[in-house]
Amino acid sequence: MRKKAPYILLTLFVILLLCGIILGEIAKVLRHATILCLDCIGIG
Amino acid sequence: MQSIRWRRICQALCAALTNSYWFSLVSRTIYQGPLKGFCVPALNCYACPLAVSACPIGTIQYFLAHGAYYITLYTIGILGITGALIGRMACGWICPFGLLQDLLHKIRSRKFSLPRWLSCGKYAALGILVLAIPFLTKQPWFCKLCPAGGLEGAVPMLILEPSLRELLGGMFVLKVLIVVFFLAAMVAVKRPFCRAACPLGAIFSFFNRASVLRLSVDQTKCTKCNKCNKVCPTDIKVYEDPNAADCIRCLDCKDVCPENAVSYTLAGFPIREPKEILQND
């Protein structure tokens, strides 16, 4: 089981990634990341 | 070529590639192209005018604060795939903030060891500042305090866009103090941010014991000379626990071992460098 753990995890996270892409999360990340993050630069 | 040289080349390339929007010096704004939709598995602030990718920690906080179901499956998927494949190797070979720490530690000064209990700090940063507080307050509190954001985002943006300086307040002062503290710590201590405060390092550390890439030490060859421990950038006891949570898979220990006792496997297949193959033949 221990030897299979990395591959089980890999499969799980590939599924999560694909679900995120199908749900349109890339567009949400893009929308957020293209606005200047005022919190990141110490404002707000 | 030794791993250390390959690693420096890889780190420099990754830092250059993830921060390649030099047109920002003219446009005075951040990159807003399609690459910003990709979360690179490293701590690289997306407020940096040169940054062309998104920060996974900032993205996690944003979704916790504003997402319809709070979890970003896409970002968790990217981090999980990276971790399941190579564990914490992204910290040692990809992260620009890790490169900064490695370089600053080369400055001649008195060096100090980090107390082991401080390694728990990164899990506290993850659980409290990245997950709990953003969920409760709808504010990205780790981003507010992040020294990578301060150095890569705040300083360059305030130089490029002076109008932002009018909006500065106490939070900026706190951020600068945190940046100065960590810059000083990086000179005196090996990778202090990675070991004690990085939430991304905390996430990847969970995978070190269950990743496709694994390190091992042949105890029949190991003479406990401690050369591996001395060269380790995160001060782990390599021959006792080569897959420790703090191991960033830099592979420096493998290079310095005089007995070739340290090895690594990928999907169970041993990886041997050309010099080892020639020695054994």
Side-chain angles (χ1 to χ4, degrees), chain B residues 160-186:
Chain B
L160 282 178
E161 196 52 57
S163 61
L164 290 171
R165 296 176 202 170
E166 298 162 5
L167 304 172
L168 298 178
M171 187 52 79
F172 179 74
V173 174
L174 176 61
K175 205 168 176 74
V176 169
L177 288 174
I178 292 172
V179 169
V180 169
F181 170 76
F182 272 106
L183 289 178
M186 288 171 194

Side-chain angles (χ1 to χ4, degrees), chain B:
Chain B
M1 195 189 287
Q2 284 190 317
S3 291
I4 181 75
R5 289 198 194 125
W6 279 118
R7 190 161 74 89
R8 287 284 176 258
I9 291 170
C10 187
Q11 285 177 303
L13 266 175
C14 288
L17 285 171
T18 54
N19 295 285
S20 53
Y21 187 60
W22 291 96
F23 187 68
S24 65
L25 299 178
V26 173
S27 67
R28 293 187 173 183
T29 185
I30 58 173
Y31 173 71
Q32 294 176 314
L35 291 178
K36 267 280 178 81
F38 175 67
C39 281
V40 65
L43 205 71
N44 197 50
C45 184
Y46 45 23
C48 172
L50 301 178
V52 298
S53 57
C55 172
I57 296 298
T59 306
I60 288 172
Q61 292 174 87
Y62 171 71
F63 272 77
L64 277 169
H66 304 289
Y69 41 87
Y70 307 114
I71 302 170
T72 163
L73 300 176
Y74 161 70
T75 307
I76 291 171
I78 288 179
L79 298 184
I81 289 169
T82 307
L85 281 173
I86 57 176
R88 223 179 147 176
M89 200 175 197
C91 301
W93 290 69
I94 298 174
C95 183
F97 211 55
L99 172 62
L100 175 69
Q101 292 176 79
D102 287 343
L103 295 176
L104 284 179
H105 195 64
K106 289 186 178 299
I107 296 172
R108 285 178 182 267
S109 76
R110 192 170 166 195
K111 305 298 181 189
F112 297 89
S113 297
L114 194 77
R116 294 235 170 256
W117 61 269
L118 278 175
S119 290
C120 298
K122 56 183 178 291
Y123 302 109
L126 175 64
I128 298 170
L129 291 176
V130 175
L131 299 177
I133 293 183
F135 177 70
L136 294 170
T137 65
K138 310 300 178 199
Q139 296 280 323
W141 267 94
F142 186 81
C143 289
K144 287 177 187 284
L145 302 172
C146 178
L151 200 57
E152 297 169 17
V155 170
M157 278 312 301
L158 292 170
I159 292 171
L160 282 178
E161 196 52 57
S163 61
L164 290 171
R165 296 176 202 170
E166 298 162 5
L167 304 172
L168 298 178
M171 187 52 79
F172 179 74
V173 174
L174 176 61
K175 205 168 176 74
V176 169
L177 288 174
I178 292 172
V179 169
V180 169
F181 170 76
F182 272 106
L183 289 178
M186 288 171 194
V187 174
V189 180
K190 288 180 184 177
R191 292 229 174 191
F193 185 77
C194 293
R195 295 157 71 189
C198 183
L200 191 55
I203 293 172
F204 286 141
S205 70
F206 294 130
F207 292 94
N208 263 4
R209 297 200 190 282
S211 62
V212 174
L213 177 77
R214 291 191 62 76
L215 267 71
S216 62
V217 175
D218 188 342
Q219 298 295 342
T220 60
K221 290 182 182 177
C222 177
T223 58
K224 313 273 189 295
C225 66
N226 281 318
K227 285 185 179 172
C228 52
N229 296 344
K230 283 178 191 162
V231 80
C232 179
T234 55
D235 276 344
I236 66 166
K237 294 205 184 322
V238 178
Y239 55 76
E240 289 180 11
D241 191 3
N243 294 296
D246 270 357
C247 175
I248 58 172
R249 270 92 193 269
C250 64
L251 307 180
D252 292 357
C253 51
K254 185 181 184 314
D255 276 344
V256 301
C257 181
E259 308 299 329
N260 286 327
V262 183
S263 61
Y264 59 103
T265 59
L266 198 63
F269 294 101
I271 308 296
R272 295 200 304 171
E273 288 168 19
K275 65 171 185 181
E276 292 173 8
I277 298 169
L278 288 171
Q279 278 172 357
N280 289 339
D281 285 346

Side-chain angles (χ1 to χ4, degrees), chain A residues 5-7 9-10 13-14 16-17 19-21 23 25-26 28-30 32-37 39-44, chain B residues 30 32-33 36-37 45-47 59 62 69 72-74 76-77 80-81 140 143-144 149 153-154 164 172 175 207 211 267:
Chain A
Y7 308 101
L9 288 173
L10 204 51
F13 286 111
V14 167
L16 288 180
L17 173 66
C19 288
I21 292 171
L23 288 167
E25 285 186 15
I26 296 180
K28 290 176 189 165
V29 171
L30 184 62
H32 171 63
T34 49
I35 299 169
L36 180 62
C37 172
D39 297 289
C40 298
I41 61 175
I43 297 171
Chain B
I30 58 173
Q32 294 176 314
K36 267 280 178 81
C45 184
Y46 45 23
T59 306
Y62 171 71
Y69 41 87
T72 163
L73 300 176
Y74 161 70
I76 291 171
I81 289 169
C143 289
K144 287 177 187 284
L164 290 171
F172 179 74
K175 205 168 176 74
F207 292 94
S211 62

